[in-house]
Amino acid sequence: MKEKELNMKKQWAKFIIVIVLYLLFLYWLKSWLGLIVVPFIYDVYITKKIKWQWWKDAERPVKFVMSWVDALVFALVAVYFINLFFFQNYVIPSSSLEKSLLTGDYLFVSKVSYGPRIPQTPLTMPLTQHTLPVIECKSYIEWPQWEYRRVKGLGKVELNDIVVFNFPAGDTLCSAPRYQAYDYYQLCYGIGYQVWQEHPNPDSLSAGERRRFFEQIYSLGRTYIRQNQLEYGEVTTRPADRRENYVKRCVGLPGQTLQIKNRIVYLDGKANKEPDNVQYTYYVKLRQAIPDELMQQLGISMEDLTSLNTLGYMPLTKHAVATLSKRKDIVESIAINTDANDQETYPLNGNYHWTRDNYGPVWIPAKGKSIKLTEDNIAIYERPIRVYEGNDLKIADGKILINGKEAKSYTFKMDYYWMQGDNRHNSADSRYWGFVPEDHIVGKPIFIWWSSDPDRNGLSGVRWSRLFNFVDNIK
């Protein structure tokens, strides 16, 4: 009898600890909907009316199979909640942040640093972003979809933080595998320019005429894509939390005015410090192949050499440029690449003749702050107002209409950020698709837990010196 009472006391102690932790978790989320689970927790520890592990009394084959199913379901649920509210792993897939973060770096990304988001699409398969592998179908159910809400975190995005976020322009895409990673809007404009060869010079048009011109270009490209569905696939959409994860450096905060002059980022008129390992592309003529030892020393990858062989230029840090310039036995000439296409920069329907090296000035929207709207600047702020904040925006007879009413100004509901890669001439970032809204922020990389060089195999490909390096130390 005493043993039974002692066991019951232990169960009560376990129940109290679990329920206190669970209630603290709900308080943190500021959502008491989870209270419906409390009776089930009570049953697990105290009443035990429900046979949660009924299969333990079953025959051997059923017992064996269900034990594995039980362990797998528990693991998936645990991973789902850990990834959703606390942290997840992320691998650097491209060279846009080199040489700060390298292709093949695996990051431990904290959701708590900026506060985890309540999922917009809660019904999703753990360990997937938007597509189930092999069968190539959506890994989430689009209903229900909840409004954006973020739980209080340890801090906010700060200037020069490296941040993981959902790709803002990934709301619409072509479903054909070849084009899924493409920016749909840039694709439409690019095709539109090709389809309509005899277009006028936008500089000769008024603001209203220029807007209608770009609308026509976009419409031509969109129509072409829809008419060639066999090549591009169906045009589909994704909710914010199911879009591709990107990682860039935040170089502009809400409320700041950003301008890029001769590659240097200025904020409110003051130059922002460049990352130590910032890269730009340089035209390089070689007398002979760069030795492998020197390539490793300077961090030059096979991808960089491929760019040099096909395009004549490759990305280099200041240190790499200085070192190669001294090696007259290897390098014949080296000069920075100043080529730029002003048709590719954001806003695609504005063409302010901004380029990747000379951009702006542009004011970054801040929550609760207002901006005067004109036909000259509406192209910059149209997407945040219409797409990210869900308003109906139209322009008729020179008037800007928001939700059917004439608007001469607009007050923003969210904070926005300006993200750029440290590999400045080889990075698809805010210069090409604009602001990153706060509801797209995923988390902050804390440290590199693994790093493997894609150009080398086996143990020789492991970058041992990068393991467990803190990302905050990468300036």
Side-chain angles (χ1 to χ4, degrees):
M1 190 71 176
K2 288 183 178 180
E3 185 178 345
K4 188 175 181 180
E5 289 178 359
L6 183 62
N7 185 55
M8 196 62 188
K9 287 180 179 179
K10 288 181 179 179
Q11 290 299 107
W12 271 103
K14 290 178 182 177
F15 169 72
I16 291 171
I17 292 171
V18 169
I19 205 67
V20 167
L21 291 174
Y22 184 64
L23 291 176
L24 287 172
F25 176 69
L26 293 182
Y27 176 77
W28 179 49
L29 295 184
K30 288 184 170 53
S31 173
W32 298 108
L33 184 62
L35 288 174
I36 61 175
V37 178
V38 171
F40 297 100
I41 298 175
Y42 181 77
D43 181 77
V44 168
Y45 287 97
I46 308 301
T47 58
K48 299 184 179 180
K49 297 292 185 182
I50 302 173
K51 289 188 176 182
W52 299 98
Q53 294 183 320
W54 57 268
W55 46 267
K56 285 190 173 181
D57 298 325
E59 297 296 326
R60 185 172 179 81
V62 175
K63 185 177 181 180
F64 175 79
V65 171
M66 288 305 300
S67 65
W68 279 99
V69 171
D70 181 75
L72 182 62
V73 169
F74 176 80
L76 288 175
V77 171
V79 167
Y80 175 78
F81 279 98
I82 290 171
N83 281 356
L84 201 61
F85 295 108
F86 298 100
F87 69 87
Q88 73 179 95
N89 295 318
Y90 180 81
V91 61
I92 300 293
S94 68
S95 59
S96 68
L97 263 172
E98 293 197 0
K99 293 293 189 279
S100 301
L101 292 178
L102 307 180
T103 304
D105 281 349
Y106 287 76
L107 306 177
F108 178 94
V109 178
S110 166
K111 300 286 186 74
V112 181
S113 294
Y114 305 134
R117 295 173 297 180
I118 301 300
Q120 184 176 343
T121 49
L123 301 180
T124 182
M125 178 63 69
L127 301 177
T128 63
Q129 178 60 18
H130 48 68
T131 305
L132 286 173
V134 184
I135 57 178
E136 294 293 327
C137 68
K138 289 182 179 178
S139 63
Y140 59 93
I141 298 174
E142 297 196 38
W143 186 92
Q145 284 197 22
W146 297 339
E147 291 186 359
Y148 164 68
R149 188 166 70 83
R150 186 178 295 275
V151 180
K152 187 175 178 59
L154 299 177
K156 293 185 176 182
V157 177
E158 295 182 2
L159 189 64
N160 295 322
D161 275 0
I162 293 177
V163 181
V164 175
F165 56 92
N166 296 119
F167 178 37
D171 59 330
T172 305
L173 68 153
C174 298
S175 60
R178 178 184 173 187
Y179 291 100
Q180 282 190 15
Y182 278 61
D183 182 328
Y184 172 77
Y185 302 101
Q186 284 199 348
L187 196 61
C188 286
Y189 279 105
I191 292 172
Y193 276 112
Q194 293 175 17
V195 172
W196 190 22
Q197 295 289 344
E198 298 180 4
H199 53 268
N201 179 6
D203 295 338
S204 65
L205 305 177
S206 67
E209 291 172 334
R210 188 165 65 245
R211 179 180 179 83
R212 288 189 290 274
F213 162 71
F214 285 118
E215 284 178 350
Q216 190 167 2
I217 290 293
Y218 175 74
S219 179
L220 284 169
R222 184 179 59 182
T223 301
Y224 183 88
I225 288 173
R226 294 180 186 275
Q227 289 175 345
N228 291 270
Q229 205 172 91
L230 287 177
E231 179 182 357
Y232 294 97
E234 182 183 354
V235 177
T236 185
T237 60
R238 284 179 183 156
D241 61 343
R242 295 296 111 201
R243 296 169 195 169
E244 295 286 353
N245 287 326
Y246 272 37
V247 58
K248 308 285 181 187
R249 189 182 295 275
C250 176
V251 299
L253 294 174
Q256 292 183 319
T257 297
L258 175 140
Q259 186 172 14
I260 303 171
K261 294 189 286 188
N262 296 323
R263 299 180 295 279
I264 303 298
V265 174
Y266 289 80
L267 298 172
D268 297 328
K270 296 180 180 179
N272 187 34
K273 180 185 178 297
E274 284 194 310
D276 293 339
N277 290 311
V278 68
Q279 286 196 140
Y280 298 102
T281 57
Y282 291 80
Y283 286 105
V284 180
K285 285 186 179 181
L286 297 176
R287 298 182 190 275
Q288 59 174 297
I290 303 174
D292 186 64
E293 182 180 344
L294 185 58
M295 284 180 59
Q296 290 192 54
Q297 177 190 332
L298 301 178
I300 297 174
S301 66
M302 293 304 298
E303 180 184 348
D304 299 336
L305 284 185
T306 300
S307 173
L308 179 63
N309 292 332
T310 56
L311 302 173
Y313 55 77
M314 65 177 176
L316 295 170
T317 62
K318 292 178 182 177
H319 170 68
V321 171
T323 302
L324 289 175
S325 296
K326 295 175 183 177
R327 295 296 302 268
K328 302 299 182 182
D329 57 322
I330 297 174
V331 177
E332 179 180 331
S333 64
I334 184 168
I336 196 161
N337 177 9
T338 57
D339 295 344
N341 187 343
D342 62 7
Q343 288 183 355
E344 295 179 353
T345 54
Y346 178 87
L348 296 172
N349 62 342
N351 198 345
Y352 294 83
H353 295 296
W354 296 344
T355 68
R356 63 190 183 187
D357 292 338
N358 291 280
Y359 191 98
V362 59
W363 179 75
I364 304 170
K367 184 177 181 179
K369 300 293 184 181
S370 301
I371 189 169
K372 183 180 178 181
L373 298 178
T374 67
E375 279 199 286
D376 287 326
N377 72 2
I378 189 60
I380 300 171
Y381 301 105
E382 176 183 4
R383 185 165 175 81
I385 294 171
R386 183 169 52 83
V387 179
Y388 303 141
E389 302 200 355
N391 296 286
D392 177 48
L393 188 151
K394 294 178 181 177
I395 298 179
D397 300 324
K399 295 181 180 179
I400 298 170
L401 305 176
I402 298 179
N403 300 324
K405 297 180 180 179
E406 183 178 359
K408 295 185 178 180
S409 66
Y410 180 79
T411 302
F412 290 93
K413 303 172 186 174
M414 289 192 291
D415 282 328
Y416 292 80
Y417 302 88
W418 194 265
M419 306 289 185
Q420 289 186 198
D422 293 353
N423 194 356
R424 294 288 166 86
H425 284 173
N426 191 26
S427 172
D429 52 38
S430 287
R431 292 169 295 178
Y432 301 96
W433 33 253
F435 311 107
V436 176
E438 66 174 71
D439 66 348
H440 282 56
I441 301 295
V442 174
K444 180 179 182 179
I446 303 299
F447 61 83
I448 302 166
W449 65 269
W450 183 257
S451 183
S452 57
D453 189 339
D455 295 337
R456 291 170 176 80
N457 299 320
L459 291 177
S460 63
V462 180
R463 303 185 184 108
W464 299 103
S465 62
R466 296 186 65 79
L467 301 192
F468 300 103
N469 280 355
F470 285 93
V471 175
D472 269 350
N473 295 333
I474 303 172
K475 300 299 183 181

